[in-house]
Amino acid sequence: MDLATQPVKTKGRDAYYWRLVATALSFAVFGIGGLCLRLVIFPLLACLPGDAPDQRLRARKTISRLFWLFIRWMARCGVLTYEVQGAGQLGRPGQMIIANHPSLIDVVFLIGLVRDANCVVKESLWNNPFTRGPVRAAQYISNDGSLEMLENACGALHEGQTLIVFPEGTRTLPGAAPAFHRGAAAIALRGAKLITPVVIRVSPSTLTKAEPWYRIPQRRVHFSFHVGADIDPQTFAAQGPVPQASRKLNEHLHNYFTKELAKDERYAPGPDA
């Protein structure tokens, strides 16, 4: 299944001032929406019958649907366009989705595409007043670098959950090759039935690390998501002890993403990368 919106060809600054206002509205809607989920929606959902897994499923599906509505709303407002190739491959039991992280809203796209996905998220989101309600209700996994985090991630995969992971741990600097931490490979070897890479491209770059929201590009941003072929983690698990296997898997993933992103000259790493 492929999803796409067709980018509108425009000239010059591409409705720069309108996009600036629409971007500000998008951040406001996202923040207010997070508070409404925490203070209104999730308390109401908690009153419905069901055990803890049922509550978690309702929370995740609610977040996913609202995230996708948010993406569609931003597209309708002219903030961005997007295309998704291979969305039907996402959301399988025990699947670990590994993606590069060029922009702040990558996770919004991926959670919006997968209705019942777990996700390893930044630890700071657990304490942010706008995001801690959804993050805790959905029981996402805090990326605090602890052994417990690794165990929780592996446990989620063993339960048949789909897990979204950004191995870089933070957003990629524009034009730089992704630098993957080995933790994602270690989780995959211990718990994943399959690994599915998702290559994300953003043109022109926006909402990168340490970039304020109001510094928008001169033209409308286009997000491209390409779902790659599945990778069998057992192929690497059979190559030696876990530390050695995780290193080889991490190198394979790093080379895969570097090669895919280098197909576009905007993402080709420089000589010092």
Side-chain angles (χ1 to χ4, degrees):
M1 178 176 66
D2 295 343
L3 305 172
T5 59
Q6 296 298 322
V8 179
K9 294 182 179 180
T10 55
K11 297 181 179 181
R13 291 165 67 86
D14 193 11
Y16 178 87
Y17 292 109
W18 165 248
R19 287 188 295 108
L20 182 61
V21 171
T23 300
L25 286 173
S26 298
F27 272 84
V29 167
F30 191 88
I32 294 171
L35 284 177
C36 289
L37 283 172
R38 174 188 170 191
L39 301 176
V40 180
I41 303 300
F42 289 144
L44 290 175
L45 291 177
C47 297
L48 298 176
D51 55 14
D54 292 331
Q55 298 284 354
R56 182 185 69 196
L57 178 61
R58 279 196 286 262
R60 289 182 183 175
K61 286 188 173 181
T62 299
I63 293 170
S64 177
R65 289 190 176 95
L66 290 177
F67 272 12
W68 195 247
L69 284 174
F70 179 68
I71 292 295
R72 295 290 301 273
W73 181 77
M74 285 195 294
R76 291 291 182 89
C77 288
V79 174
L80 54 82
T81 59
Y82 63 87
E83 59 180 333
V84 184
Q85 299 176 346
Q89 299 179 53
L90 303 178
R92 288 170 285 171
Q95 178 185 44
M96 186 168 172
I97 299 171
I98 289 184
N100 59 308
H101 197 8
S103 180
L104 181 64
I105 60 174
D106 304 332
V107 66
V108 178
F109 269 99
L110 287 179
I111 290 178
L113 285 167
V114 186
R115 285 288 179 256
D116 182 24
N118 200 339
C119 185
V120 177
V121 300
K122 291 175 61 176
E123 185 181 12
S124 60
L125 297 180
W126 282 77
N127 299 314
N128 186 308
F130 298 104
T131 57
R132 69 185 185 189
V135 164
R136 296 185 182 191
Q139 297 180 24
Y140 294 145
I141 299 170
S142 173
N143 186 12
D144 57 7
S146 67
L147 180 60
E148 182 181 4
M149 181 273 289
L150 293 174
E151 292 175 348
N152 290 338
C154 292
L157 290 165
H158 284 145
E159 290 177 9
Q161 298 181 39
T162 301
L163 181 65
I164 299 171
V165 178
F166 295 92
E168 295 167 272
T170 187
R171 281 165 279 171
T172 316
L173 294 174
F180 287 179
H181 299 291
R182 203 183 299 176
I187 294 169
L189 288 171
R190 290 176 170 88
K193 291 182 179 179
L194 68 157
I195 303 167
T196 305
V198 178
V199 178
I200 305 173
R201 294 179 173 88
V202 184
S203 177
S205 64
T206 188
L207 298 176
T208 58
K209 189 175 181 180
E211 184 178 26
W213 67 265
Y214 52 82
R215 191 175 295 166
I216 65 172
Q218 294 296 316
R219 59 186 175 88
R220 190 175 309 178
V221 178
H222 183 68
F223 284 80
S224 172
F225 293 76
H226 177 75
V227 181
D230 295 334
I231 300 169
D232 183 0
Q234 294 307 310
T235 302
F236 295 87
Q239 297 183 20
V242 173
Q244 180 181 350
S246 63
R247 183 176 66 253
K248 290 183 178 180
L249 175 55
N250 190 61
E251 289 175 355
H252 175 80
L253 292 169
H254 176 268
N255 292 335
Y256 174 86
F257 278 87
T258 300
K259 181 180 178 181
E260 289 297 313
L261 292 171
K263 291 178 180 178
D264 187 326
E265 63 180 4
R266 291 185 299 274
Y267 296 92
D272 298 328

